[in-house]
Structures are given as C-alpha cells and as structure tokens.
Amino acid sequence: MPKEVMIGSGVGLMLFMIFLGINVFPIILFGLLAVVLFIMFEGQLQDKIAGFGTSVKTIEPVTFDDVGGQDTAIAEFKEALEFLLKPLEIVKMGIRPIKGIILVGPPGTGKTLLAKAAASYTKSAFVAASGSEFIEMYAGVGAKRVRQLFSEARKKAKREGKSGAIVFIDELEILGAKRGSHHSHMEYDQTLNQLLVEMDGISNDAETMLLVVGATNRADMLDPAILRPGRFDRQVIVNLPDKKGRLKILMIHTQNKPLADDVCLEDIAKATFGFSGAQIESLANEAAILALRDGEQRIAHRYFVEAIDKVILGEKLDRRLSDEELQRVSIHEAGHAVVSELVKPGSVSSLTIVPRGQALGFMRKNTPEHDQYLYTRQELEEQIMVALGGAVAEDMNFGSRSTGARNDFEQAWTLAKDIITSGMSTLGVIAVTEVPSELVFKECTAMLKNIEEKTTNLLDDNRHLLQAVSSRLLEEETLERARFLDIIQTA
Ligand code: ATP
C-alpha cells in the first residue's frame, strides 16, 4: 500500500475518533514513539539486511600509522588514492578514475588494515566482504550479493555524508578466479560478471566515488578480465615485513602493554624472520597472556621469547612421553644442535624436549644479525646437515630411526631442490620444468646421500659432544644458549 494512502487513512481515522469523542492523545504519543524508534534502528537494520549475511562492517579508526613495515605498499597505495582526494582535478584533466586496486601478499600482512586505513585517509565510507561469502549453491545469489554490496557502499557514503566509498573484497581469488575454472562454474561466472558490470559502472561524475580494493594471495588465479585496464588496473604488493618493519609492528602492538625494563624489541624483531604482521600481533598478545598467567604485572623479555615458540609451534602440551621416547627425542635434538654449532658456530639459540604443538622437541636457531634472502650452495648444504643431524644421531645411538624425522626430511628435500633449481647442482643451469622429474629426483637423492654421509662422519667424530648434550637435555629438559655452550666447551 502506498505510504500516502496509509498516512491519509490514519489521519482520517483520528479525525473520526475525535468526532466520536474518543481521547486520541495516548494513540498519538504511541505513534510518535514508534516513529522515533523506527528512525533510530533503521540505519543498523539496513547494515544487517544489505548483503544477506555479507558482513558489512563499520570502520574502526585505522590509519596508515597503524600499519607497520609496509612503507612501499603505503606509498604506492596513497598514490592511487589521490583521485578520491582530488576528484575535481581528475575530472578537469580528463583522467579515467582508478576503479580497482589489488593488494597482493601472504596472509596476515595487513591487507585489510591497509584498506581500512585508505578509507580513513580519503574520508570515505568502508564496506567489506569476503570472496567466499558470495558463493552459494544457488544460482544468482552471488550476483545479487555483489549488487547489494555496491549499493550499500553508495548508501553508506550518503548516510555518513561522505563523497566516496571503498568496497573491500577479501579473498578476491574465490570471486574473481579464471572463468570456467570452478566446478559449479555457472554460478561463479555470473558473480564475477556482476562484479565486472558494477566496476564498469563506476564513473567520475557519479554522486559517490567508488573504489574497489581487492585482496588476494593468489594473483595468478585471477581472471584476466579482472586485471584489464579500467578494472583492477593497479597491483600493490604487500610483502612479509623485514626486520625494521617487524620492529615497527612490535612497537605498534606493544604500545598498550606494560613492558618490563629488560624487553629488547630489536632482539625480538631479529628473531622473528618470516613472521607476518598478524603473527607478530599474536606474539605480543601471547607474551602478555604468559606474563598474566605467572601473575606478573609487567611483561618480561623471556615471555616474548616463549611466545615466539608458541606462535611457531603451538601451545606446550602435557603429553607424557615414555622414557625411551624421551631418550630418543633428546638424542635427536642434540644431533641437530651439535651439527648446527659445528658447521656454524653461534647458531644454536636453545633446545628443548618439552612437547609443543606437533613437535616432541625442537632446536631453535639463533637468528642472524640481518635478514637473509640469498644462500650459497655451502649454506644450503649446511642447513641440510642440520636437518639430517637428528635422524643420523638416532641411528648412531639406537641403530634405528623414527617417525620424528619426517619433517626434517621434507625440509632437507626442499633445500636440495633449491640447490638444483638454482643451478648449483651437478645438473648445472636448468629450467626445472624442462628437465624430466626422474632426473631431478635422482640428483636430489644422490646429493642427500652424500650430505648424510658427511653428517654421519661429523657426528661420529664428535660423539662425546652428542652424548654430553643429550644427557644434560634429558635431565634439564631445556637448554638455553649459555648452558648449551657450557656443556660443549667442557665435554
Ligand atoms: P588475510 O590475507 O589473511 O585476510 P590480511 O593481509 O588482510 O590477511 P590483516 O587482516 O590486515 O591481514 O591483519 C590481521 C591483523 O594482524 C591486523 O588486525 C593487525 O592486528 C595485524 N597486522 C597484520 N599486518 C600488520 C601490519 N603490517 N602492521 C600492524 N599490524 C598488522
């Protein structure tokens, strides 16, 4: 029924009731209350309805200062955001607007954070959805959700009095994968087509300037149509942070935490090579939890060190190993540690036989002064020796190996393949795709056999160290660097 007819009928009814002498004052009061409540809740309701489950989130005040270790990505991103900041100049110069930016990088590097910061930087509204939320078994639902997301972005910008909106789509590879590549491809294709239609509809003269920011860690899976100029024509790489970046992220996430005087964030940044921003955030959080568990008022450095292990390997377990298993684990870890110290003095940080996550024990390496991205053949061979050291030590001591070396072997195999693909094996310079896989397999096996022999000889010559470290480890469960060094030097 049209609104006007309803209002007209309502007024008519009131007049008729007054005419009959009925007191209409409570009814009017009730009506007014209903209208006020309706207006108050309408905004929230719209957020919920729009998207039928698509999470349309309200932006928290995130700025580029909250994103650490991504200076290059931020600079490139800001450049692309100029047109949202200066729409008039862009129109005057006849510049085609940038409609889409893709943030490409590993999980947890801050892509969502960057998109949110972009919204506050450009004073735009922010709506977000994830690629997987669009895909349903029912035909047409995904396409409808895409339409709703864009329409919600426009509405939200209007509601918040903003001239632009950022539409953030996480896991873009699910929504924007190459057409025809999915099993139920009709539905996927329709959804992608709708996204392309919406993006084609973005124009300079629209009431609300829209920018679509997609995030993915699989840019190779995206349909070429999505990357065409005029669609997602800018790619910003969001890499894992380097040491300086990790320090900045640590500073951001310890800002609100009471740190003890002995905390050295530099050292923690050094020890977390390969960590993403999300892992560093989790590390800071875990350190605080560990300190709280011990009833401490402030977070000491050792809690951060323990939190590193926790983030890498998982929670400490109460699992009880049998005595034989404990002996095996201690000789295994001692094998890793002795080889590591012999091939690269100063490389062992600590070793333990306290189970954590999937690991029954582990040796932590000392992190080098600087992040390392390039390795020589010798360095890779040494790493393989360290990886094989555990199984070789078990073999020497018990005359058998165990399943505990499975991950070590995988690591050794990967490193051996790295040597081959980098042209540092006896196969010489190769393109791995052009070489029969049997040949690569044979080269890997030969190389590993050779390195295994070297490791056995090394440990054989240093049996006394192996025994000393393993028996101490069995007694003390965890050996920090100073204690380990002490044992090695006095053995
Ligand atoms: P995914 O690809 O898994 O969606 P993402 O790259 O979008 O991950 P975010 O969701 O932005 O990562 O990061 C998750 C959390 O990790 C953030 O809320 C923040 O606390 C922390 N974080 C990640 N990267 C950074 C960073 N560069 N600086 C500061 N904090 C970060």
Side-chain angles (χ1 to χ4, degrees):
M1 200 188 306
K3 230 189 316 186
E4 292 75 12
V5 178
M6 279 179 74
I7 294 170
S9 318
V11 173
L13 192 66
M14 287 290 157
L15 289 175
F16 184 60
M17 284 161 92
I18 292 169
F19 177 72
L20 291 180
I22 300 171
N23 181 7
V24 290
F25 185 68
I27 302 173
I28 292 174
L29 207 66
F30 182 75
L32 278 175
L33 197 69
V35 169
V36 170
L37 284 176
F38 176 76
I39 292 169
M40 269 172 61
F41 287 114
E42 194 197 31
Q44 292 175 24
L45 220 59
Q46 270 184 3
D47 275 359
K48 286 198 181 129
I49 292 167
F52 284 81
T54 305
S55 48
V56 176
K57 300 159 193 158
T58 354
I59 182 168
E60 298 134 30
V62 175
T63 70
F64 283 123
D65 289 338
D66 300 320
V67 189
Q70 298 296 351
D71 295 350
T72 318
I74 291 174
E76 277 181 43
F77 203 8
K78 274 187 177 169
E79 201 186 288
L81 293 172
E82 278 299 291
F83 90 97
L84 274 181
L85 291 172
K86 300 175 185 159
L88 293 178
E89 281 94 323
I90 300 282
V91 173
K92 227 188 269 168
M93 298 298 282
I95 296 172
R96 168 169 61 74
I98 292 176
K99 298 177 180 179
I101 299 173
I102 303 189
L103 305 176
V104 184
T109 40
K111 298 184 290 295
T112 312
L113 217 54
L114 279 169
K116 286 183 179 173
S120 13
Y121 178 72
T122 56
K123 299 188 175 58
S124 302
F126 180 81
V127 293
S130 180
S132 52
E133 293 169 26
F134 291 96
I135 305 305
E136 289 271 328
M137 282 159 64
Y138 310 105
V141 175
K144 189 170 162 197
R145 284 187 181 161
V146 171
R147 273 198 305 277
Q148 282 171 338
L149 184 67
F150 278 76
S151 127
E152 174 55 20
R154 292 189 177 93
K155 278 193 216 153
K156 195 166 181 193
K158 229 185 242 175
R159 265 205 313 274
E160 294 176 1
K162 292 175 172 165
S163 60
I166 286 184
V167 178
F168 178 67
I169 304 177
D170 205 359
E171 301 176 307
L172 187 67
E173 73 279 3
I174 299 182
L175 176 63
K178 291 187 177 93
R179 277 175 282 198
S181 61
H182 285 293
H183 195 54
S184 57
H185 57 85
M186 272 301 285
E187 169 59 359
Y188 281 81
D189 294 355
Q190 277 184 23
T191 311
L192 173 56
N193 286 341
Q194 188 60 42
L195 175 65
L196 299 180
V197 167
E198 292 291 345
M199 290 188 76
D200 288 343
I202 297 174
S203 69
N204 265 343
D205 48 11
E207 206 180 328
T208 310
M209 298 284 284
L210 282 192
L211 174 71
V212 190
V213 178
T216 182
N217 45 20
R218 292 297 310 271
D220 55 305
M221 279 175 65
L222 296 176
D223 194 298
I226 224 174
L227 304 171
R228 223 193 57 192
R231 287 169 183 168
F232 284 98
D233 47 10
R234 289 270 173 128
Q235 279 198 24
V236 174
I237 306 293
V238 188
N239 272 325
L240 287 173
D242 60 8
K243 196 170 91 186
K244 208 171 115 219
R246 295 196 296 276
L247 178 61
K248 174 82 199 296
I249 300 174
L250 273 168
M251 282 154 98
I252 292 172
H253 290 292
T254 49
Q255 219 162 240
N256 61 348
K257 296 181 173 61
L259 302 185
D261 294 337
D262 70 337
V263 171
C264 177
L265 293 182
E266 280 258 1
D267 281 356
I268 300 158
K270 214 165 84 183
T272 45
F273 178 72
F275 272 45
S276 67
Q279 281 175 313
I280 295 173
E281 189 273 335
S282 163
L283 164 80
N285 201 45
E286 290 299 338
I289 292 173
L290 291 170
L292 187 70
R293 234 187 243 175
D294 280 358
E296 298 286 344
Q297 300 290 322
R298 302 207 292 158
I299 313 165
H301 190 81
R302 71 195 142 94
Y303 292 115
F304 282 94
V305 176
E306 189 174 344
I308 295 176
D309 294 341
K310 194 168 169 191
V311 171
I312 298 175
L313 298 160
E315 188 74 72
K316 260 187 200 166
L317 300 176
D318 277 338
R319 201 185 289 160
R320 273 302 304 160
L321 302 185
S322 68
D323 286 350
E324 294 93 282
E325 281 174 323
L326 278 175
Q327 278 180 10
R328 204 177 258 283
V329 177
S330 61
I331 208 81
H332 183 106
E333 298 311 326
H336 285 312
V338 170
V339 175
S340 185
E341 194 63 22
L342 291 175
V343 295
K344 199 169 180 203
S347 59
V348 177
S349 166
S350 66
L351 56 162
T352 180
I353 52 168
V354 177
R356 201 183 255 290
Q358 296 294 312
L360 298 182
F362 65 97
M363 179 205 90
R364 194 144 58 78
K365 289 187 194 164
N366 243 341
T367 21
E369 196 53 39
H370 301 288
D371 293 351
Q372 191 172 354
Y373 300 99
L374 287 176
Y375 297 90
T376 62
R377 172 168 177 151
Q378 191 189 333
E379 284 169 324
L380 292 175
E381 273 197 18
E382 286 169 2
Q383 286 188 24
I384 296 176
M385 285 178 79
V386 176
L388 299 181
V392 168
E394 278 188 55
D395 223 348
M396 280 170 49
N397 218 61
F398 302 104
S400 63
R401 295 180 176 185
S402 67
T403 48
R406 208 168 15 211
N407 286 343
D408 299 336
F409 291 165
E410 263 179 41
Q411 197 192 347
W413 191 268
T414 311
L415 290 163
K417 262 186 101 176
D418 279 351
I419 295 180
I420 297 173
T421 52
S422 317
M424 296 190 285
S425 74
T426 55
L427 293 178
V429 177
I430 56 158
V432 83
T433 46
E434 305 298 323
V435 179
S437 54
E438 306 88 69
L439 201 62
V440 175
F441 181 84
K442 251 171 121 179
E443 180 68 15
C444 256
T445 332
M447 205 156 43
L448 288 176
K449 196 158 178 284
N450 194 310
I451 300 174
E452 190 181 353
E453 236 172 76
K454 267 201 217 169
T455 315
T456 309
N457 293 339
L458 185 71
L459 279 180
D460 207 22
D461 291 344
N462 293 281
R463 270 180 190 264
H464 63 296
L465 294 184
L466 188 62
Q467 291 307 334
V469 173
S470 107
S471 55
R472 280 274 136 239
L473 185 59
L474 201 54
E475 249 170 60
E476 297 175 28
E477 292 192 349
T478 300
L479 302 175
E480 293 301 335
R481 167 134 198 98
R483 185 81 186 104
F484 170 73
L485 212 57
D486 188 38
I487 299 164
I488 293 263
Q489 282 163 354
T490 53

mmCIF file of all heavy atoms in Angstrom, residues 114-137:
data_model
loop_
_atom_site.group_PDB
_atom_site.id
_atom_site.type_symbol
_atom_site.label_atom_id
_atom_site.label_comp_id
_atom_site.label_asym_id
_atom_site.label_seq_id
_atom_site.Cartn_x
_atom_site.Cartn_y
_atom_site.Cartn_z
ATOM 1 N N LEU A 114 45.292 -2.094 5.570
ATOM 2 C CA LEU A 114 45.608 -1.044 4.586
ATOM 3 C C LEU A 114 44.329 -0.485 3.968
ATOM 4 O O LEU A 114 44.198 0.730 3.782
ATOM 5 C CB LEU A 114 46.498 -1.622 3.479
ATOM 6 C CG LEU A 114 47.985 -1.736 3.785
ATOM 7 C CD1 LEU A 114 48.693 -2.571 2.731
ATOM 8 C CD2 LEU A 114 48.630 -0.357 3.856
ATOM 9 N N ALA A 115 43.381 -1.382 3.652
ATOM 10 C CA ALA A 115 42.135 -0.929 3.026
ATOM 11 C C ALA A 115 41.352 -0.035 3.989
ATOM 12 O O ALA A 115 40.801 0.998 3.593
ATOM 13 C CB ALA A 115 41.292 -2.128 2.609
ATOM 14 N N LYS A 116 41.342 -0.422 5.268
ATOM 15 C CA LYS A 116 40.646 0.398 6.263
ATOM 16 C C LYS A 116 41.331 1.750 6.412
ATOM 17 O O LYS A 116 40.677 2.780 6.516
ATOM 18 C CB LYS A 116 40.641 -0.310 7.623
ATOM 19 C CG LYS A 116 39.673 -1.466 7.684
ATOM 20 C CD LYS A 116 39.681 -2.063 9.070
ATOM 21 C CE LYS A 116 38.702 -3.215 9.165
ATOM 22 N NZ LYS A 116 38.806 -3.912 10.452
ATOM 23 N N ALA A 117 42.679 1.713 6.427
ATOM 24 C CA ALA A 117 43.430 2.962 6.566
ATOM 25 C C ALA A 117 43.173 3.863 5.357
ATOM 26 O O ALA A 117 43.074 5.086 5.489
ATOM 27 C CB ALA A 117 44.917 2.655 6.689
ATOM 28 N N ALA A 118 43.024 3.234 4.177
ATOM 29 C CA ALA A 118 42.755 4.011 2.958
ATOM 30 C C ALA A 118 41.419 4.728 3.092
ATOM 31 O O ALA A 118 41.264 5.869 2.642
ATOM 32 C CB ALA A 118 42.738 3.091 1.750
ATOM 33 N N ALA A 119 40.449 4.073 3.722
ATOM 34 C CA ALA A 119 39.132 4.695 3.888
ATOM 35 C C ALA A 119 39.238 5.909 4.808
ATOM 36 O O ALA A 119 38.671 6.969 4.512
ATOM 37 C CB ALA A 119 38.132 3.684 4.434
ATOM 38 N N SER A 120 40.000 5.797 5.914
ATOM 39 C CA SER A 120 40.095 6.992 6.773
ATOM 40 C C SER A 120 40.938 8.074 6.106
ATOM 41 O O SER A 120 40.631 9.255 6.237
ATOM 42 C CB SER A 120 40.624 6.705 8.181
ATOM 43 O OG SER A 120 41.171 5.467 8.302
ATOM 44 N N TYR A 121 41.973 7.652 5.364
ATOM 45 C CA TYR A 121 42.839 8.626 4.677
ATOM 46 C C TYR A 121 42.049 9.456 3.658
ATOM 47 O O TYR A 121 42.257 10.643 3.516
ATOM 48 C CB TYR A 121 43.963 7.854 3.994
ATOM 49 C CG TYR A 121 44.939 8.681 3.199
ATOM 50 C CD1 TYR A 121 45.856 9.507 3.833
ATOM 51 C CD2 TYR A 121 44.977 8.586 1.807
ATOM 52 C CE1 TYR A 121 46.773 10.237 3.103
ATOM 53 C CE2 TYR A 121 45.893 9.319 1.066
ATOM 54 C CZ TYR A 121 46.791 10.141 1.714
ATOM 55 O OH TYR A 121 47.689 10.863 0.994
ATOM 56 N N THR A 122 41.124 8.796 2.966
ATOM 57 C CA THR A 122 40.361 9.504 1.930
ATOM 58 C C THR A 122 39.007 9.976 2.454
ATOM 59 O O THR A 122 38.191 10.468 1.691
ATOM 60 C CB THR A 122 40.120 8.579 0.719
ATOM 61 O OG1 THR A 122 39.470 7.390 1.196
ATOM 62 C CG2 THR A 122 41.405 8.205 0.021
ATOM 63 N N LYS A 123 38.768 9.779 3.746
ATOM 64 C CA LYS A 123 37.489 10.139 4.382
ATOM 65 C C LYS A 123 36.323 9.513 3.619
ATOM 66 O O LYS A 123 35.318 10.149 3.305
ATOM 67 C CB LYS A 123 37.321 11.654 4.462
ATOM 68 C CG LYS A 123 38.401 12.314 5.299
ATOM 69 C CD LYS A 123 38.102 13.775 5.514
ATOM 70 C CE LYS A 123 39.100 14.431 6.435
ATOM 71 N NZ LYS A 123 40.498 14.342 6.000
ATOM 72 N N SER A 124 36.491 8.233 3.292
ATOM 73 C CA SER A 124 35.447 7.516 2.553
ATOM 74 C C SER A 124 34.734 6.546 3.479
ATOM 75 O O SER A 124 35.275 6.154 4.514
ATOM 76 C CB SER A 124 36.071 6.683 1.425
ATOM 77 O OG SER A 124 36.792 7.508 0.563
ATOM 78 N N ALA A 125 33.543 6.150 3.057
ATOM 79 C CA ALA A 125 32.844 5.082 3.785
ATOM 80 C C ALA A 125 33.543 3.766 3.453
ATOM 81 O O ALA A 125 34.267 3.674 2.460
ATOM 82 C CB ALA A 125 31.397 5.036 3.352
ATOM 83 N N PHE A 126 33.344 2.746 4.275
ATOM 84 C CA PHE A 126 34.048 1.476 4.070
ATOM 85 C C PHE A 126 33.068 0.325 4.212
ATOM 86 O O PHE A 126 32.366 0.214 5.217
ATOM 87 C CB PHE A 126 35.154 1.360 5.130
ATOM 88 C CG PHE A 126 35.972 0.107 5.037
ATOM 89 C CD1 PHE A 126 37.009 0.000 4.124
ATOM 90 C CD2 PHE A 126 35.717 -0.968 5.873
ATOM 91 C CE1 PHE A 126 37.788 -1.152 4.050
ATOM 92 C CE2 PHE A 126 36.481 -2.129 5.807
ATOM 93 C CZ PHE A 126 37.521 -2.210 4.889
ATOM 94 N N VAL A 127 32.984 -0.480 3.181
ATOM 95 C CA VAL A 127 32.210 -1.722 3.316
ATOM 96 C C VAL A 127 33.125 -2.875 2.904
ATOM 97 O O VAL A 127 33.983 -2.718 2.037
ATOM 98 C CB VAL A 127 30.914 -1.752 2.459
ATOM 99 C CG1 VAL A 127 29.905 -0.753 2.945
ATOM 100 C CG2 VAL A 127 31.202 -1.578 1.001
ATOM 101 N N ALA A 128 32.943 -4.015 3.561
ATOM 102 C CA ALA A 128 33.843 -5.131 3.277
ATOM 103 C C ALA A 128 33.079 -6.429 3.149
ATOM 104 O O ALA A 128 32.024 -6.606 3.761
ATOM 105 C CB ALA A 128 34.865 -5.257 4.400
ATOM 106 N N ALA A 129 33.594 -7.288 2.308
ATOM 107 C CA ALA A 129 33.027 -8.629 2.191
ATOM 108 C C ALA A 129 34.149 -9.555 1.767
ATOM 109 O O ALA A 129 35.180 -9.101 1.268
ATOM 110 C CB ALA A 129 31.918 -8.639 1.158
ATOM 111 N N SER A 130 33.920 -10.832 1.982
ATOM 112 C CA SER A 130 34.949 -11.785 1.624
ATOM 113 C C SER A 130 34.469 -12.621 0.445
ATOM 114 O O SER A 130 33.282 -12.947 0.369
ATOM 115 C CB SER A 130 35.211 -12.657 2.838
ATOM 116 O OG SER A 130 36.187 -13.572 2.513
ATOM 117 N N GLY A 131 35.386 -12.948 -0.474
ATOM 118 C CA GLY A 131 35.028 -13.684 -1.685
ATOM 119 C C GLY A 131 34.164 -14.904 -1.405
ATOM 120 O O GLY A 131 33.192 -15.161 -2.115
ATOM 121 N N SER A 132 34.495 -15.625 -0.328
ATOM 122 C CA SER A 132 33.764 -16.870 -0.060
ATOM 123 C C SER A 132 32.312 -16.608 0.321
ATOM 124 O O SER A 132 31.460 -17.488 0.175
ATOM 125 C CB SER A 132 34.456 -17.642 1.053
ATOM 126 O OG SER A 132 34.641 -16.814 2.158
ATOM 127 N N GLU A 133 32.016 -15.392 0.798
ATOM 128 C CA GLU A 133 30.640 -15.114 1.212
ATOM 129 C C GLU A 133 29.697 -14.965 0.022
ATOM 130 O O GLU A 133 28.482 -14.986 0.181
ATOM 131 C CB GLU A 133 30.586 -13.822 2.040
ATOM 132 C CG GLU A 133 31.292 -13.938 3.373
ATOM 133 C CD GLU A 133 31.453 -12.590 4.052
ATOM 134 O OE1 GLU A 133 30.646 -11.684 3.795
ATOM 135 O OE2 GLU A 133 32.410 -12.438 4.832
ATOM 136 N N PHE A 134 30.270 -14.787 -1.165
ATOM 137 C CA PHE A 134 29.410 -14.583 -2.333
ATOM 138 C C PHE A 134 28.952 -15.896 -2.958
ATOM 139 O O PHE A 134 28.022 -15.933 -3.725
ATOM 140 C CB PHE A 134 30.160 -13.796 -3.416
ATOM 141 C CG PHE A 134 30.406 -12.382 -3.036
ATOM 142 C CD1 PHE A 134 31.613 -12.001 -2.485
ATOM 143 C CD2 PHE A 134 29.431 -11.423 -3.219
ATOM 144 C CE1 PHE A 134 31.849 -10.703 -2.123
ATOM 145 C CE2 PHE A 134 29.656 -10.109 -2.861
ATOM 146 C CZ PHE A 134 30.871 -9.750 -2.313
ATOM 147 N N ILE A 135 29.704 -16.921 -2.651
ATOM 148 C CA ILE A 135 29.481 -18.149 -3.395
ATOM 149 C C ILE A 135 28.516 -19.068 -2.664
ATOM 150 O O ILE A 135 28.777 -19.522 -1.569
ATOM 151 C CB ILE A 135 30.833 -18.863 -3.651
ATOM 152 C CG1 ILE A 135 31.790 -17.900 -4.336
ATOM 153 C CG2 ILE A 135 30.651 -20.131 -4.462
ATOM 154 C CD1 ILE A 135 31.297 -17.262 -5.630
ATOM 155 N N GLU A 136 27.383 -19.306 -3.300
ATOM 156 C CA GLU A 136 26.357 -20.195 -2.751
ATOM 157 C C GLU A 136 26.063 -21.244 -3.797
ATOM 158 O O GLU A 136 26.439 -21.127 -4.954
ATOM 159 C CB GLU A 136 25.073 -19.399 -2.498
ATOM 160 C CG GLU A 136 25.177 -18.452 -1.339
ATOM 161 C CD GLU A 136 24.782 -19.094 -0.023
ATOM 162 O OE1 GLU A 136 23.912 -19.977 -0.051
ATOM 163 O OE2 GLU A 136 25.362 -18.721 1.009
ATOM 164 N N MET A 137 25.368 -22.252 -3.365
ATOM 165 C CA MET A 137 24.996 -23.290 -4.337
ATOM 166 C C MET A 137 23.910 -22.798 -5.294
ATOM 167 O O MET A 137 23.713 -23.332 -6.361
ATOM 168 C CB MET A 137 24.453 -24.506 -3.598
ATOM 169 C CG MET A 137 25.527 -25.375 -2.990
ATOM 170 S SD MET A 137 24.809 -26.356 -1.717
ATOM 171 C CE MET A 137 23.670 -27.346 -2.677
#
